[in-house]
Amino acid sequence: MTLRPFRPRLRAGLLTLLCLGGGGLGFSASAAAQTGVAACPDFAPARVILDLQIAPLRTDYSQSIRQLAQKPGRRPVAGRTANSHTLGLAAIQYNQQWQAGVMTASLGQGRYCGAAQTLTVTFGYDERTVYVARELPQGSCIHGEVLAHEMRHVTVDEQLLREYVPVLKRRLEDVVGRARPVQGRSERQVMAAIEQPIKAAMRQLMEEFGRERNARQARIDTPAEYERISQSCNGEINRYLGRV
């Protein structure tokens, strides 16, 4: 009865490149003179900045049962059959973006060194809509039952997001905290090496978040819940399904 598109949009990039001369970063001029290539400077530890995003919740009662059944991105729901009807839908569009501010330094001899200084992550839901099929009259008992069911999904999404934010921040702080300055033959090579573990960590974290979300939502969409709603309001739903 309830399907929730889960369409992550993954966007990642390096926000800022600060190219500073070696002397300005304080590494040893004598070491540079002896070896021709200076050691990496002591970069400041990277900071993780997390921006939580929760879009306002919209309601839409204009879509038909048939239109709701055709919404893209639907996940399989236990207990659904070919004859099932989609009476309501709690749809979200999930979004995560990250930007790394990187500082680099020239070491001489065509070598560069760099480290992330900031990691800014925007995470959350940038679109949220609850649908109830237009065949169910607003104010009717069955409309209220379906709406209440969909709002349970909304509550689960909000609760999971609040729980996951500190986990996300802690895991990313661990990633950037373990990272060491990177050397390379060009600034581009240095930046790519800095970006790689961040991308891998974000991918893993988002996959974990998606699995946990699906598991929690599945606890609401059960055969028993579908049966309860179909029998609620003295079987009022049968009056409207004949119009489909």
Side-chain angles (χ1 to χ4, degrees):
M1 187 185 74
T2 303
L3 308 160
R4 286 160 304 287
F6 189 73
R7 301 186 297 275
R9 295 184 300 164
L10 305 179
R11 297 193 294 271
L14 294 167
L15 175 64
T16 306
L17 173 66
L18 302 178
C19 300
L20 302 179
L25 286 170
F27 52 75
S28 170
S30 60
Q34 294 170 9
T35 66
V37 178
C40 283
D42 292 327
F43 294 103
R47 296 182 300 113
V48 175
I49 304 166
L50 193 57
D51 180 22
L52 177 63
Q53 183 180 45
I54 304 182
L57 182 65
R58 298 174 53 247
T59 56
D60 186 332
Y61 306 145
S62 68
Q63 305 289 304
S64 69
I65 291 174
R66 188 181 302 276
Q67 286 174 313
L68 293 183
Q70 295 172 348
K71 291 287 185 183
R74 306 185 305 175
R75 67 173 179 79
V77 177
R80 289 187 60 87
T81 69
N83 296 323
S84 298
H85 297 284
T86 302
L87 306 179
L89 178 69
I92 70 161
Q93 183 160 293
Y94 152 80
N95 178 44
Q96 68 89 1
Q97 304 177 68
W98 63 266
Q99 296 175 317
V102 175
M103 182 174 287
T104 65
S106 174
L107 304 180
Q109 299 291 310
R111 301 289 296 179
Y112 295 86
C113 186
Q117 297 296 280
T118 60
L119 176 58
T120 303
V121 179
T122 301
F123 173 63
Y125 309 132
D126 61 4
E127 184 176 320
R128 302 190 301 157
T129 306
V130 166
Y131 299 90
V132 177
R134 70 186 181 207
E135 287 88 349
L136 310 184
Q138 295 183 46
S140 67
C141 177
I142 190 61
H143 184 281
E145 285 285 347
V146 172
L147 179 60
H149 174 94
E150 301 309 327
M151 290 305 298
R152 289 175 61 192
H153 289 294
V154 171
T155 299
V156 166
D157 277 336
E158 292 176 348
Q159 178 63 31
L160 176 60
L161 194 62
R162 285 192 293 269
E163 291 178 15
Y164 206 69
V165 162
V167 174
L168 180 64
K169 191 170 191 293
R170 183 170 61 251
R171 296 269 293 275
L172 291 175
E173 285 176 339
D174 183 58
V175 169
V176 298
R178 287 187 283 106
R180 295 293 178 263
V182 174
Q183 289 195 33
R185 293 185 298 273
S186 67
E187 290 172 339
R188 183 181 297 275
Q189 188 180 71
V190 167
M191 292 168 67
I194 292 170
E195 183 183 49
Q196 185 175 2
I198 298 173
K199 289 175 67 174
M202 288 299 301
R203 185 181 302 111
Q204 180 179 353
L205 286 163
M206 294 306 103
E207 289 174 354
E208 291 175 6
F209 178 83
R211 287 194 298 269
E212 179 62 22
R213 180 179 182 271
N214 286 340
R216 294 193 186 193
Q217 296 293 6
R219 296 171 197 155
I220 298 174
D221 287 329
T222 63
E225 172 68 359
Y226 292 158
E227 179 66 18
R228 184 193 69 79
I229 291 179
S230 69
Q231 298 299 322
S232 66
C233 306
N234 297 315
E236 180 184 353
I237 185 58
N238 296 315
R239 189 185 315 168
Y240 307 114
L241 290 181
R243 305 175 184 175
V244 180

